[in-house]
Amino acid sequence: MTSFDPVSAALGGLLIGAGALLLMLFSGRIAGISGIFADALEPHQTGRGWRIAFIVGLIAAPLVVAVTGRAVPAPDMPAWAVVIAGGLLVGFGTRLGSGCTSGHGVCGIARLSPRSLAATATFMVTAAVVVAVSRHVLGGQ
Amino acid sequence: MAMIIAALGSGLVFGIGLVISGMTQPSKVLGFLDVFGHWDPTLAIVMAGALVVVAPGFALLRGRDTSILGVTLDWPSRRTIDRSLIGGAVLFGIGWGLVGLCPGPALANLAGLSPKVFGFVVAMAIGARAQDALRRIRGSQPQSA
């Protein structure tokens, strides 16, 4: 478990916001990663190029951070079965619900969209219940 | 070409924010979601930091018709809170709570070459494609946030 670092959290948050604002300012698009990702997978989607470029930027980010000498820790992942089940649910759920933490949680709440406020409250509470059950009821840790 | 470079730069800044904030580390995200354990407020600070930039920024852009590159600003227009929105958010929340990764951090972790991160992203792609195929079968319109 990494230690709590509010300065890095705030700085990182400002940069996430700056990235989302830049995408609207230059490309006229909402930075909803689940939508950008799914539409980038669609072979005949128009505007596939900018979506792939945005994803390449995301993928390159830790390399840029590492170059500045900052440590980039390897992600701690659960067992394979949980990884695959979680990935399927995140992919399916974000498409059905039209967004994820970025599209609803940041861009949607910034616009005070009732849909995004409802979606964000729903996925936050659901995820907290899943963590409470897996950690404290089933006693995973 | 300008669209490509702008999107690349936006993704890069967004991704650097994810990495610096600690949101690419599943244990940080799960620490926030674990309200009955040693609660970690990091995610709330990250979201607040992002909103401090995006909320006034979007409010200012609302007065414009087009982006700097001349593209029409594509604001989401749907208003109804329906079963798809809530059902999708529940399924996403279950997956997020199980692993501690949402789409942005999953993609920003790919360069670490972890087989499990690749597995998560492939599963995410399959899940998204399955939902898109299901929607096409049912003949409903594509949605936006």
Side-chain angles (χ1 to χ4, degrees), chain A residues 2-3 12-13 25-26 28-29 42 50 53 61-62 74 76 78 80 83 87 91-93 95 98 101 105 115 123 127 135-136, chain B residues 7-8 15-17 25 27-28 34 46-47 50 67-68 74 78 80 88-89 93 102 108 115-116 124 129 131-132 135 143 145:
Chain A
T2 40
S3 59
L25 188 62
F26 284 91
R29 295 303 187 124
E42 195 73 53
W50 73 262
D76 35 24
W80 267 108
V83 167
F92 191 94
R95 282 313 266 173
S98 314
T101 343
R115 272 172 62 81
F123 63 65
R135 287 192 172 179
H136 304 295
Chain B
L8 182 74
I16 291 170
Q25 184 56 274
S27 62
K28 291 293 282 180
D34 188 9
V46 176
M47 273 189 76
S67 77
I68 286 176
D74 191 8
R78 289 159 54 91
T80 49
C102 49
K116 281 183 175 174
M124 199 168 82
R129 298 291 287 177
Q131 166 54 28
D132 287 354
R135 191 192 301 140
Q143 304 168 358

Side-chain angles (χ1 to χ4, degrees), chain A residues 1 76-78 82 127-128 130-132 134-136 141, chain B residues 22-23 25-43 93-102:
Chain A
M1 188 68 77
D76 35 24
M77 300 290 282
V82 179
V130 168
V131 171
S134 63
R135 287 192 172 179
H136 304 295
Q141 37 185 300
Chain B
M23 292 296 97
Q25 184 56 274
S27 62
K28 291 293 282 180
V29 175
L30 295 176
F32 171 80
L33 295 169
D34 188 9
V35 288
F36 299 110
H38 297 286
W39 189 63
D40 182 338
T42 300
L43 191 146
I94 295 171
W96 193 35
L98 284 174
V99 181
L101 281 182
C102 49

Side-chain angles (χ1 to χ4, degrees), chain A residues 2-17 61 65 70-73 106, chain B residues 13-29 32 40-50 102 104-105 108:
Chain A
T2 40
S3 59
F4 177 52
D5 180 354
V7 176
S8 295
L11 179 64
L14 292 172
L15 286 170
I16 291 169
V65 174
R70 211 180 163 102
V72 181
V106 173
Chain B
V13 172
F14 195 105
I16 291 170
L18 286 174
V19 174
I20 287 178
S21 66
M23 292 296 97
T24 50
Q25 184 56 274
S27 62
K28 291 293 282 180
V29 175
F32 171 80
D40 182 338
T42 300
L43 191 146
I45 296 171
V46 176
M47 273 189 76
C102 49

Side-chain angles (χ1 to χ4, degrees), chain A residues 4-102:
Chain A
F4 177 52
D5 180 354
V7 176
S8 295
L11 179 64
L14 292 172
L15 286 170
I16 291 169
L21 186 57
L22 285 171
L23 191 68
M24 183 54 80
L25 188 62
F26 284 91
S27 310
R29 295 303 187 124
I30 289 285
I33 315 292
S34 55
I36 290 172
F37 175 67
D39 286 339
L41 295 170
E42 195 73 53
H44 306 295
Q45 176 74 35
T46 52
R48 209 178 169 206
W50 73 262
R51 291 182 170 89
I52 292 171
F54 185 90
I55 292 168
V56 168
L58 279 181
I59 295 172
L63 306 174
V64 172
V65 174
V67 165
T68 66
R70 211 180 163 102
V72 181
D76 35 24
M77 300 290 282
W80 267 108
V82 179
V83 167
I84 299 304
L88 289 170
L89 283 163
V90 168
F92 191 94
T94 51
R95 282 313 266 173
L96 181 62
S98 314
C100 59
T101 343
S102 52

Side-chain angles (χ1 to χ4, degrees), chain B residues 5-141:
Chain B
I5 294 166
L8 182 74
S10 305
L12 191 62
V13 172
F14 195 105
I16 291 170
L18 286 174
V19 174
I20 287 178
S21 66
M23 292 296 97
T24 50
Q25 184 56 274
S27 62
K28 291 293 282 180
V29 175
L30 295 176
F32 171 80
L33 295 169
D34 188 9
V35 288
F36 299 110
H38 297 286
W39 189 63
D40 182 338
T42 300
L43 191 146
I45 296 171
V46 176
M47 273 189 76
L51 288 172
V52 160
V53 176
V54 179
F58 276 11
L60 285 171
L61 288 179
R62 274 291 186 180
R64 291 180 62 112
D65 294 325
T66 59
S67 77
I68 286 176
L69 298 178
V71 182
T72 304
L73 299 188
D74 191 8
W75 300 107
S77 55
R78 289 159 54 91
R79 304 288 296 172
T80 49
I81 296 170
D82 51 22
R83 277 175 61 188
S84 295
L85 180 83
I86 301 302
V90 166
L91 294 177
F92 165 46
I94 295 171
W96 193 35
L98 284 174
V99 181
L101 281 182
C102 49
L107 294 170
N109 266 319
L110 279 175
L113 303 178
S114 147
K116 281 183 175 174
V117 171
F118 274 96
F120 184 87
V121 171
V122 170
M124 199 168 82
I126 293 169
R129 298 291 287 177
Q131 166 54 28
D132 287 354
L134 206 62
R135 191 192 301 140
R136 270 195 294 272
I137 291 166
R138 288 178 177 169
S140 57
Q141 293 296 309

